[in-house]
Amino acid sequence: MEKRTFLKLSSTLLATPVLSPLVGLVADEKLKNWAGNYEYSTDRLYPAKSIGQVQELIKKYPKVKVLGTRHCFNGIADSKDNLLSLKAMDDVVALDTKAHTVTVDASMKYGQLAPYLDGKGFALHNLASLPHISIAGACATATHGSGVKNGNLSTAVSGMEIITAAGEIRTLSRAKDGDAFRAAVVHLGALGVVTKVTLDIQPTFLMRQYVYENLPMAQLKDHFETIASAGYSVSLFTDWQKGRINEVWIKQRIDKGAKVEPAAPTYFGATLAKKNVHPIVELSAVNCTEQMGVPGPWYERMPHFRMGFTPSSGKELQSEYFVPRKNAIEAILAVERLRDQVSPHLMISELRTIDADNLWMSPCYKQPSLAIHFTWKQDWAAVRKVLPLIEKELAPFSPRPHWGKLFTMAPAQLQSRYEKLPAFKQIVQEYDPKGKFRNAFLSTNLYGIVG
C-alpha cells in the first residue's frame, strides 16, 4: 500500500504569510478530508502560529471553524466561510511529573506525543486505532480506543484552554470547574478554539498483542464479557458472514515483574494466528503494529496501525454506533441479521468496548458502551441506503452515532439521546452568543435547523 501524506498543507503552512488564506494550494484540487469523501465548502484556510494570531482571526471573521487532521467523515469541522489551521502549534507545553499530567498544544498528534512521553517514563491510558489524529480533535468528538475499563480519549483531559467567540482566553480544569468542564471537553467545535489540552498520564508500560482467527459467533453470545475482558484492550473484527468473528485482537498489558504466559493455541474455538494480519484479511499487515506476542512500548501496540504508514485501507467511509454494553449481544445479533444488506458494501466491522464517563456530549455519558464500527467501501450512494436499516435495527438500544462519522439519524432522535443537551446549549450561548462557530452540521444535529 502507498504511504499517505495526511496533511498536504504542512510545508505550505510554514511558508505562507501569517493571516493570509491558503487559497488554491494545488491547481484544480479542492480541500478534502483524509479519506477523500468529503469536500470542504471553502478554500479559505488561515494558518495561526500563536495564541495572538488565533485571537486576531477569531475577532476578524464573523464565521470560522478549526480544521485539524481532517479525519472526520462528515461536515462537523466544515465552514462555508473561513477555516482556521493550528497545525504549526503542536508542541509539548509542560510535563508535570509530580501531578502526572502533560500539557500540549491542541494540534499535537498522538503519534507525536506518545514517544515523547515514553521517553520520559510515562504513558497515556489509551490510544485510538491509529495515532495520526490530533489530540484536540479526538477529544472534541469523543474518539476512543477499547477496553472494558478504559474511558474514551476525552476522559484523560484534566484541563483545557479555549478561546471564545469574543477572543477571550478561558481555562477550565476538572478539579475546579465542575459542570462547565464536563460540558466543554466533548465540545464538538461549538464553544470556540481549543489551544491547549492537559492530559492525565501514568508510568510507562509494555504491551503485547495476539490475534485469534475465526471465533464462532455462538461463542460470543455465551462469553461476550469474558472475551471483551481478555486484555487491556480488545477488538473484534467481523464481515458479518459465516457466523463468525474474523479476528480477535487481544492487547495485553505487561506489568513490571509479572509472569508472562504464552498465548493458548485456541480461544473459544478461534485459532491463534501464525503471522501478523491486517483487520481486512486481504490486505498486507505491513502497516499494522507488531503482533505475535512480541513485547513493545504501549504506544506501539495499542493502535492497530503504525504512525509511519497508511492507516486502515485508504479510501473508505466510516460509521459507528454506541449502544449500552448490557445490550451488546442483542445489538450484535441485530446487525448480523442485516448481513446480506451490509456485506456487499463493507470492508470490515470492528466491535470495541468503552467505559462510561461523565462528559455531557460523549456517546458514553453514564453508559458503559459497545461501539459497532463499519468501514465501508467508498460508495456513499449505497451506504446511505444501508445506514437507516442499521439505525432501525439498533433503535431499541437507543444508539448514539460517533460525532465524526457518517449517520442518517434524524436530529430530533439524536438530540433525545443526550439528556444534557439543553444545558450544553446554554453554555454554547455563553461562549458563542452569535453563532460564530456554528456550522451546518451543528445547526442540523444540535438545533434541528436544516438548510
Side-chain angles (χ1 to χ4, degrees), residues 334 338 341 384-394 408:
L338 296 173
Q341 292 96 325
R384 192 173 189 172
K385 295 178 181 178
V386 176
L387 292 182
L389 303 179
I390 295 172
E391 291 168 2
K392 182 179 179 180
E393 283 294 315
L394 294 178
T408 59

Side-chain angles (χ1 to χ4, degrees), residues 359-386:
L359 306 175
W360 287 6
M361 299 306 292
S362 165
C364 300
Y365 180 71
K366 292 186 177 180
Q367 177 178 288
S369 300
L370 170 75
I372 305 175
H373 180 275
F374 302 86
T375 299
W376 303 104
K377 298 172 185 176
Q378 203 172 74
D379 182 353
W380 174 232
V383 172
R384 192 173 189 172
K385 295 178 181 178
V386 176

